[in-house]
Amino acid sequence: MGTGGRGGLRPGKGSPDGMTAGKGRLEEVSATPAAAAAAASASCQYRCIECNQEAKELYRDYNHGVLKITICKSCQKPVDKYIEYDPVIILINAILCKAQAYRHILFNTKINMHGKLCIFCLLCEAYLRWWQLQDSSQNTDPDDFIRYAKEWDFYRMFAIASLEQAAFFIGIFTFLWIEQSITTRKKPNFVLLLKALLLSSYGKLLLIPAVIWEHEYTPLCLRLIKVFVLTSNFQAIRVTLNISRKLSFLAVVCGLLTESTMVYFFRTMEWDIGSDCDTYKSQDF
């Protein structure tokens, strides 16, 4: 992804839509000693994308448009080279699950779209399940009550998808909490981890194109999308908590087991299979 994708260092640029790159602190010659002391004691807001060390700034503005990227004191590399990259390059690196791109997005940008992205991903998953449900029923009755029942099928699929995703996250959090209690490590930032998991589930947006352009390989595409989402979740956990690949993998596996338990419960209760339309059709109104 080298220098060919660079778009020049610009304040607030070089991040995907919906993101604002973290800005460096203004370097002023006339700064007073008190102001300098306050700036030195300020909390570190950013992270080096190479070594994950905390940093107080991403670049310095020397006025007159002269900007200089901050060098990490630990690894002697730029704290965040992505602030001068085009959004498309950052997105491609995120799709490739590069840890540096994930650190840039999670630590060095301000994102306020976690909830919206989560709802949209759940709608995509609910639509996929509803589409599979209607495709299997093959009920073409034009009765209004039947159409109303089909609409409620979609809401039911949305609720089930939401509960299954919640179970997946609970499984991950439970494993990490137990592991932290055993090893007496620093308590994980579960709020930041939740945001990272929500963002890393963006691969579910690919479900809609897979359904629209249906072909004989659609089941394979859906499985590949699932693998991609889990891989993104794995990388988000590893980058956010700065833990080993083994622990990240075990956390994802624990989440999958919890989600599978929820799926088995729904199938046992017959809440996620079949359609209510046939039941309504058989009744005499």
Side-chain angles (χ1 to χ4, degrees), residues 70-85:
T70 304
I71 301 300
C72 178
K73 297 180 180 179
S74 177
C75 64
Q76 300 302 315
K77 295 181 179 180
V79 172
D80 192 346
K81 63 182 179 181
Y82 285 112
I83 61 175
E84 60 173 348
Y85 275 47

Side-chain angles (χ1 to χ4, degrees), residues 129 160 163-171 226 252-272:
R129 299 183 182 202
I160 291 174
L163 291 174
E164 290 179 3
Q165 179 168 283
F168 177 71
F169 290 163
I170 290 174
K226 179 67 174 179
V252 172
V253 170
C254 187
L256 279 176
L257 291 176
T258 309
E259 181 183 8
S260 299
T261 303
M262 184 70 71
V263 172
Y264 177 77
F265 170 76
F266 286 141
R267 289 182 177 176
T268 302
M269 301 298 293
E270 296 184 353
W271 288 355
D272 65 335

